[in-house]
Amino acid sequence: MTDRKDRAEMSDERIEALLAQMADDAPTPSVALMERIVADAQDVAQAREAQTRDRQGARQAGAGRSGVGQAGAGRAGLAGWLANLLAPIGGWPAVAGLATATVAGVWIGYASGDGLTGLTGLNGDAISASGGAELGEFMLSYDDLLGEG
Amino acid sequence: MTMPFDALASVPDEALLVAFANGDRGAARVLTERLAPRVFGFAMRLLANRAEAEDVVQEAMLRLWKVAPDWRQGEARITTWLYRVVSNLCTDRLRGRRGVGLDAIDEPEDPAPSALAAMAEAQRREALEAALAQLPDRQRQAVVLRHVEGLSNPEIATIIGVSVEAVESLTARGKRALAGLLASRREELGYEDDD
């Protein structure tokens, strides 16, 4: 009887041993759960890839499409070429981060030049008499913003 | 780039997650097979309800898939992170259960028929699970993570969000509480016949 009273409460070691046995009896997840988890992974991966594709597409479309004026008919192919050129360095948003002074310089160049009607500059011909539109020669989007060309 | 499935077996968790973020679908399956059973066992200990435990584990793994591109290697172990998410999700569910009583807890499975020893063992297991269910949430988490999942105190501290000292205190109090709860059933469960 005394023994029972002495052992009225179970020892820490005993409890730990019981808990360790519980570890051996670990409940296992169902196959259905495992498949749902893997399916979720596929969905997340697909959504992520679709998002990446959309962003790349939007970047390319944005480089050839103006935010203000209308793109000229002959620009589409060249706009695509420029977009491809700019894509590795972050596309239009990266180039648009140039210092304001540079943009001002472009505007000054345009304002004093004859204006652009085409991209003859890319073929080696002079684009404007003043020669101050060096950025505008290569930045079609700037061209859209700066004038109705 | 996709690695051959069997070559993935020796790749660390973090590398698999990065591979998944880069499009390797096979990596997700290997991670699932490694991680889901572990945290499922943990969730079951906390919730004692299979359907709820499955929901929690699926949600936790979904969060892992979504965080994959942002995972910064070397900052935390994936298992620690996952245990923490499961712990938080379980705590949310348990709070929502307040007032529901023991109805939300699954009926214990029938013990194996015939062998008396097997029946006694099953009864003890059920008694331990019932006792665990009666512990305060944090004590239960600490006790399960330490003595069932086998994690270290510092890791448990990260998972639960308390200090290491608090973990030691929680596990000590939890075990005392279990001992007290099981003591009342000692004779019935035949514990006195052991030792």
Side-chain angles (χ1 to χ4, degrees), chain B residues 133-155:
Chain B
Q134 292 183 61
L135 291 184
D137 294 347
R138 278 202 166 164
Q139 281 183 24
R140 178 163 67 251
Q141 286 179 24
V143 167
V144 169
L145 287 168
R146 183 77 185 86
H147 296 291
V148 182
E149 305 296 323
L151 303 185
S152 69
N153 283 346
E155 200 174 355

Side-chain angles (χ1 to χ4, degrees), chain A residues 38-81:
Chain A
V38 172
D40 284 346
Q42 311 304 333
D43 292 344
V44 168
Q46 275 176 9
R48 196 152 49 220
E49 283 160 16
Q51 210 176 28
T52 307
R53 278 196 304 273
D54 288 347
R55 265 194 233 117
Q56 283 173 348
R59 238 181 263 138
Q60 291 178 358
R65 189 178 59 229
S66 81
V68 181
Q70 292 185 16
R75 281 205 188 139
L78 238 26
W81 177 83

Side-chain angles (χ1 to χ4, degrees), chain A residues 71-141:
Chain A
R75 281 205 188 139
L78 238 26
W81 177 83
L82 260 181
N84 288 337
L85 190 69
L86 295 174
I89 56 170
W92 159 242
V95 186
L98 291 171
T100 311
T102 308
V103 177
V106 171
W107 172 250
I108 290 165
Y110 263 99
S112 60
D114 294 337
L116 286 177
T117 54
L119 296 163
T120 54
L122 289 166
N123 291 336
D125 299 335
I127 284 188
S128 76
S130 72
E134 59 261 42
L135 187 64
E137 292 177 36
F138 299 101
M139 293 305 304
L140 291 181
S141 296

Side-chain angles (χ1 to χ4, degrees), chain B residues 43-143:
Chain B
M44 277 292 286
R45 310 294 182 212
L46 298 187
L47 299 173
N49 181 298
R50 179 167 273 272
E52 289 207 61
E54 291 207 346
D55 284 350
V56 160
V57 170
Q58 188 175 357
E59 173 61 31
M61 292 299 290
L62 179 62
R63 293 186 188 189
L64 182 66
W65 304 142
K66 289 182 175 175
V67 88
D70 302 324
W71 188 271
R72 292 200 290 264
Q73 294 200 52
E75 279 196 1
R77 291 171 58 190
I78 291 182
T79 46
T80 307
W81 185 92
L82 203 57
Y83 269 117
R84 181 165 193 153
V85 172
V86 169
S87 171
N88 290 340
L89 289 171
C90 287
T91 301
D92 291 345
R93 289 200 172 230
L94 288 165
R95 285 202 188 113
R97 265 194 210 169
R98 297 284 179 258
V100 173
L102 295 177
D103 295 345
I105 297 177
D106 283 345
E107 291 294 322
E109 291 174 4
D110 293 335
S114 77
L116 276 174
M119 284 173 70
E121 201 49 50
Q123 233 185 345
R124 293 178 187 184
R125 200 163 55 230
E126 171 254 311
L128 181 60
E129 286 170 4
L132 260 179
Q134 292 183 61
L135 291 184
D137 294 347
R138 278 202 166 164
Q139 281 183 24
R140 178 163 67 251
Q141 286 179 24
V143 167

Side-chain angles (χ1 to χ4, degrees), chain A residues 4 7-12 14-16 18-23 25-30 33-38 40-42 44-46 48-49, chain B residues 20 25 28-29 32-33 36-37 40 44-45 50 54 58 61-62 65 69 121 125 128-129 132 143 147-148 175-176 179 182-183 186 191-192 194-195:
Chain A
R4 285 188 186 184
R7 292 184 302 164
E9 275 206 352
M10 300 173 76
S11 65
D12 256 14
R14 188 60 210 264
I15 294 291
E16 288 170 15
L18 290 172
L19 290 166
Q21 283 175 16
M22 198 182 228
D25 286 334
T28 49
S30 62
L33 172 65
M34 301 292 272
E35 291 305 318
R36 285 200 298 275
I37 293 170
V38 172
D40 284 346
Q42 311 304 333
V44 168
Q46 275 176 9
R48 196 152 49 220
E49 283 160 16
Chain B
F20 165 71
R25 306 292 211 267
R29 181 167 285 279
T32 300
E33 288 171 4
F40 178 75
M44 277 292 286
R45 310 294 182 212
R50 179 167 273 272
E54 291 207 346
Q58 188 175 357
M61 292 299 290
L62 179 62
W65 304 142
E121 201 49 50
R125 200 163 55 230
L128 181 60
E129 286 170 4
L132 260 179
V143 167
H147 296 291
V148 182
K175 283 186 289 186
R176 288 290 89 233
L182 290 173
R186 289 188 84 230
Y191 283 126
E192 287 156 0
D194 307 321
D195 297 333

